[in-house]
Amino acid sequence: MKSIIKASLIISISLFGVSGCSAFKIYDNIRSPEALGSYYQDDKTKSFAWNVGAYAGYPWVLSDHTYDKSIDMMVNSTSYAMNLTSDLGSALAGGALGLGAGFIGGLTEGYPLKPSEVWTAKLENGETYNQSRVIERFIINNFKVRPVEPDDTPKIKLRLGMIDINKITCVENKPYQYTHECTLPGVSYSTIYITAARPATGEEFGKILNLKPGRYGVFLTRNESDLIQKDDAPDVYFYMKDGVYKSGKNTLPLISPREDGKRLVLIDGKAELL
């Protein structure tokens, strides 16, 4: 039991640094995304989580923590793998190990990735990923108006009732940090900022996203609207929570590759080295 706790602590410290430094760097909030328009080439010297940020057009925002050899012991044993899953979750949530989210500050850290999602969306025949009409269709397909909540004021309820998502309008927003700004005309609190980053094949993240090869667009979305993701959204996305990237039941920590190049991920909650 002591060895499990010790290994867990080592991993948690390697995740966040002994000094309490975050995995994020602070940069100018208006820096524009990079390398837009080209298919993404996986940087195998970086974690999958770091690659999500670069895939979205922001390779300078995240940094990896050093891979610790104690992770091997936990991944190679079924019981240890289960323990790794549990300990990563509790550590990153600021749980019993006490080494989690407290080291991650406000939105200036990890910006613009932290408050955003990174989508891989299927393109239809004849579509180009950065066309405004394509982005509008993407939003209509994947988002819906949020439900009315008990503490909503009559004014908010009226606003929600006015929303027709089919009227979403996206315009190019260069040279600002995002490539497009999408709004519902005449409706306040209806803005979604989009970075249309690049075309994709669907194979960039392998079994993590488990997409069929095809034609896709990569969109970073910063949502400041009354729209929320549909439960049955047809497209897939990464989102950041407690300093890791998640997609469905899969978790991508910011841990650099092992010496042999294999990278730590949690697939359906089970630790694996890919």
Side-chain angles (χ1 to χ4, degrees):
M1 182 65 183
K2 289 182 178 179
S3 63
I4 294 176
I5 295 174
K6 181 178 179 182
S8 301
L9 286 171
I10 290 172
I11 288 176
S12 300
I13 291 170
S14 71
L15 278 169
F16 297 103
V18 175
S19 65
C21 293
S22 161
F24 302 108
K25 300 175 181 178
I26 300 176
Y27 289 91
D28 185 342
N29 286 356
I30 61 171
R31 183 169 173 178
S32 297
E34 295 179 359
L36 299 182
S38 59
Y39 283 93
Y40 187 67
Q41 298 296 318
D42 179 24
D43 186 340
K44 297 185 183 300
T45 68
K46 306 289 187 181
S47 68
F48 285 113
W50 183 94
N51 274 277
V52 172
Y55 179 65
Y58 303 90
W60 66 85
V61 175
L62 304 177
S63 61
D64 284 335
H65 299 280
T66 304
Y67 187 95
D68 192 284
K69 290 184 179 179
S70 61
I71 295 175
D72 292 340
M73 176 179 66
M74 302 181 81
V75 173
N76 292 335
S77 164
T78 301
S79 59
Y80 277 115
M82 292 173 63
N83 187 65
L84 173 62
T85 303
S86 173
D87 287 342
L88 275 174
S90 61
L92 294 171
L97 296 179
L99 294 171
F103 292 152
I104 300 173
L107 295 185
T108 55
E109 295 188 357
Y111 189 91
L113 296 175
K114 187 178 178 183
S116 306
E117 294 81 40
V118 179
W119 291 77
T120 303
K122 184 73 174 174
L123 297 178
E124 296 181 354
N125 290 336
E127 289 186 337
T128 303
Y129 77 97
N130 58 356
Q131 293 174 308
S132 293
R133 64 178 180 83
V134 172
I135 297 171
E136 291 164 1
R137 182 187 62 77
F138 154 73
I139 292 174
I140 292 168
N141 285 354
N142 289 282
F143 290 81
K144 65 180 181 179
V145 182
R146 74 167 178 85
V148 173
E149 298 175 355
D151 57 350
D152 283 338
T153 64
K155 184 177 180 179
I156 292 175
K157 293 177 182 178
L158 178 62
R159 183 179 76 225
L160 294 174
M162 292 172 57
I163 295 176
D164 180 357
I165 193 172
N166 293 300
K167 294 182 179 179
I168 193 80
T169 300
C170 298
V171 296
E172 290 193 20
N173 198 29
K174 298 176 181 179
Y176 192 57
Q177 186 170 26
Y178 304 96
T179 63
H180 292 75
E181 181 176 344
C182 303
T183 58
L184 291 160
V187 181
S188 57
Y189 301 99
S190 67
T191 302
I192 300 180
Y193 295 101
I194 302 281
T195 291
R198 63 185 75 251
T201 66
E203 301 175 278
E204 287 81 1
F205 288 91
K207 66 187 294 185
I208 296 169
L209 291 182
N210 198 31
L211 294 172
K212 293 181 179 179
R215 296 180 63 251
Y216 297 84
V218 180
F219 305 119
L220 177 134
T221 63
R222 180 184 171 190
N223 188 357
E224 297 186 356
S225 75
D226 284 316
L227 302 179
I228 59 174
Q229 295 95 336
K230 292 179 179 177
D231 294 333
D232 59 349
D235 296 314
V236 298
Y237 62 96
F238 293 104
Y239 65 97
M240 190 169 287
K241 181 179 181 181
D242 300 322
V244 298
Y245 263 119
K246 300 181 74 68
S247 181
K249 296 181 180 179
N250 302 333
T251 301
L252 284 61
L254 279 161
I255 299 178
S256 61
R258 197 168 65 173
E259 290 180 358
D260 61 0
K262 291 187 176 181
R263 293 174 280 188
L264 177 68
V265 295
L266 278 71
I267 303 294
D268 289 329
K270 185 178 185 301
E272 295 187 27
L273 290 166
L274 301 180

